[in-house]
Amino acid sequence: MKMKRGIFLGFLIFSFCSSPAWSQRSAPRPYWYSLEQGKFFFRNGDYGKALMAFEEARRDRRNMYTRMEQDMIDLLSIPEVRYLGDSLERIETYIKDRYQVNAETALEELYYRYPKAALEGSAYRALEEIGRLKDFPEAEYWIGETFRIEGELGVALGQYQKAHVQRAFLENPSFDTEILYRMVDILKAKQDYAEMENRALEIIQQDSLWIGGSGAVTKNAMTTILENRDNGIRRFLTIYRYNNIAVERAHRLLGLYYYASGRHKQAAEHLMFSFLIQNTVLIEELIRNQYDFTFTTLDNLMQEVMRRPVLVTYIQDVEYYKTLYYFAAALYSDGNTKQSPARRLWTFLSGHPDAGEWSGKAKMQLRTPFVEKVVEMP
């Protein structure tokens, strides 16, 4: 099936678009084709047709696995098979000897989707897993996307939640991160900050440096280096490199949320990780294009970044200057020993007019440092 998707999908879509309306076609299409067709409509702004295709994909997958589930039930109901007990190996032999094509097809499909070893030789476990394959999280996600683009945020959130619950059946397990970010964005828009925090923390669970057994030690070591009065930031970005871009936005959002709600220590820790990931991406990209580049200072780094439009776009996308400002603010608010790196970050921002409002705010902090009032979200 993977080969079909990779080689023939473009041809199938072209053929479909060149043919009469799809409701008039007599030949059934596989569920994954309907999903791809829905994406085609979605990207071209035809959301009505997209929704119909996504719902058809969900329905067709459910029907397909319901049929396979029934084929297995029919097989297991045969008296001769019931005599074999729960032995998957013996039942497979029976299937081959008696040419039980439908049941064989069902098991082949299951083994493609689910590791056979995990079934532990149980035929009834195989039946259970075939039934679970009725869920189609990708379709639930794209149905949610269609409702989101149409402004139906509550309905979209419900769809994303369904997709997240069904995440074990995602073709690409890492796609669950995208689902969680969609949920985070809607929860933020609805000002449901407690639930937004929970979903963002789920994303952070993918951060091995954050949750690892030595995570607390690492955070303390990072903070200690940053607190160095002479060259803490330079040493920090020289010693540590971390490019887990999948979790950067979650760290940033949590850092901003914790700062806004007065939890400055937690804010500083999350913004430190966001700061590290952002600068790692910049430094590694510069080294990739200029092998002899060496990080020395943030000013030097920005001088090189500004020469490359793609990196300028990146720092805009990740709110680089805003991240630095609130990282400094969180450090300053968290205690006297962290005020020195805070002032260095503000000094950097104050010298960069391209930082816009964050340059102006940094200048204000340098003149008269203050802890901002608790607000909802910056």
Side-chain angles (χ1 to χ4, degrees):
M1 185 174 291
K2 288 183 177 178
M3 182 174 68
K4 287 184 179 179
R5 294 180 190 179
I7 298 175
F8 296 118
L9 183 56
F11 172 75
L12 287 173
I13 291 177
F14 174 79
S15 300
F16 175 81
C17 295
S18 303
S19 66
W22 48 286
S23 59
Q24 300 174 5
R25 289 173 60 91
S26 57
R29 297 185 310 279
Y31 66 84
W32 53 262
Y33 175 79
S34 295
L35 181 74
E36 295 301 327
Q37 186 63 47
K39 293 179 188 179
F40 175 83
F41 288 135
F42 183 90
R43 289 163 183 153
N44 284 277
D46 197 338
Y47 303 119
K49 285 186 178 179
L51 182 60
M52 290 175 63
F54 295 142
E55 290 178 338
E56 181 181 23
R58 179 176 62 181
R59 181 176 62 252
D60 288 349
R61 173 160 170 150
R62 177 163 292 276
N63 290 342
M64 170 181 158
Y65 286 109
T66 297
R67 184 173 62 253
M68 290 183 175
E69 181 184 42
Q70 188 60 51
D71 289 338
M72 283 298 295
I73 291 173
D74 292 344
L75 174 80
L76 296 174
S77 300
I78 297 173
E80 291 176 287
V81 177
R82 292 172 62 185
Y83 177 77
L84 299 175
D86 191 33
S87 172
L88 183 58
E89 182 179 359
R90 295 171 69 186
I91 289 173
E92 282 185 306
T93 300
Y94 178 91
I95 288 172
K96 292 177 181 177
D97 290 346
R98 303 301 177 88
Y99 302 103
Q100 295 286 335
V101 177
N102 291 342
E104 184 175 21
T105 300
L107 286 178
E108 287 176 353
E109 176 66 17
L110 174 62
Y111 299 156
Y112 175 75
R113 303 282 175 189
Y114 191 85
K116 183 178 179 180
L119 298 173
E120 299 179 338
S122 169
Y124 290 100
R125 176 72 181 277
L127 173 62
E128 181 182 59
E129 294 303 330
I130 289 173
R132 293 179 66 198
L133 287 172
K134 296 173 188 175
D135 292 334
F136 196 5
E138 286 88 353
E140 303 292 359
Y141 168 83
W142 281 101
I143 291 171
E145 282 288 88
T146 307
F147 281 113
R148 179 186 64 82
I149 209 74
E150 296 284 5
E152 298 288 344
L153 299 187
V155 180
L157 180 61
Q159 288 299 132
Y160 297 141
Q161 289 169 337
K162 285 182 183 179
H164 179 56
V165 169
Q166 299 172 10
R167 61 190 177 278
F169 303 105
L170 286 166
E171 290 278 349
N172 178 6
S174 65
F175 189 67
D176 187 44
T177 303
E178 182 66 24
I179 297 171
L180 285 168
Y181 272 124
R182 282 287 190 256
M183 294 168 66
V184 163
D185 290 339
I186 290 180
L187 291 164
K188 181 181 177 184
K190 294 169 70 69
Q191 298 184 353
D192 187 350
Y193 296 125
E195 194 60 23
M196 177 200 75
E197 177 187 6
N198 290 335
R199 299 288 79 78
L201 287 171
E202 279 192 64
I203 297 172
I204 298 300
Q205 293 305 303
Q206 301 175 35
D207 189 341
S208 58
L209 188 61
W210 178 268
I211 67 170
S214 59
V217 175
T218 301
K219 293 171 202 171
N220 290 335
M222 287 179 172
T223 302
T224 299
I225 289 173
L226 276 169
E227 290 174 2
N228 185 290
R229 289 183 174 274
D230 298 323
N231 56 5
I233 294 174
R234 182 183 65 79
R235 290 190 63 214
F236 176 80
L237 291 177
T238 300
I239 294 173
Y240 295 104
R241 296 285 165 80
Y242 190 51
N243 62 358
N244 189 348
I245 58 175
V247 300
E248 184 278 324
R249 187 157 74 93
H251 276 302
R252 176 168 24 114
L253 182 136
L254 285 169
L256 295 173
Y257 172 58
Y258 290 143
Y259 182 82
S261 55
R263 288 172 277 181
H264 300 129
K265 179 176 175 58
Q266 290 171 276
E269 289 180 342
H270 283 286
L271 290 170
M272 176 174 65
F273 270 64
S274 182
F275 172 75
L276 175 59
I277 294 168
Q278 289 179 10
N279 282 288
T280 296
V281 170
L282 295 174
I283 292 168
E284 289 185 347
E285 180 63 18
L286 286 171
I287 291 174
R288 191 177 70 84
N289 288 279
Q290 183 181 332
Y291 73 93
D292 60 344
F293 173 80
T294 302
F295 171 79
T296 53
T297 66
L298 286 177
D299 288 305
N300 168 258
L301 178 63
M302 281 300 105
Q303 184 178 8
E304 295 299 324
V305 166
M306 289 301 163
R307 295 174 181 171
R308 293 167 172 79
V310 66
L311 294 184
V312 172
T313 299
Y314 173 76
I315 65 174
Q316 293 170 349
D317 289 344
V318 298
E319 303 177 301
Y320 183 80
Y321 296 123
K322 180 179 180 179
T323 302
L324 264 64
Y325 173 81
Y326 279 108
F327 180 32
L331 288 171
Y332 177 85
S333 304
D334 191 35
N336 292 332
T337 60
K338 299 175 183 177
Q339 291 181 4
S340 179
R343 294 188 66 87
R344 287 198 295 272
L345 288 170
W346 282 330
T347 298
F348 162 75
L349 285 171
S350 68
H352 286 265
D354 52 288
E357 66 173 304
W358 309 110
S359 178
K361 289 170 72 73
K363 290 175 182 177
M364 291 174 59
Q365 288 281 14
L366 288 171
R367 286 196 298 268
T368 310
F370 62 94
V371 178
E372 296 186 19
K373 295 180 180 179
V374 173
V375 295
E376 288 186 340
M377 278 289 289

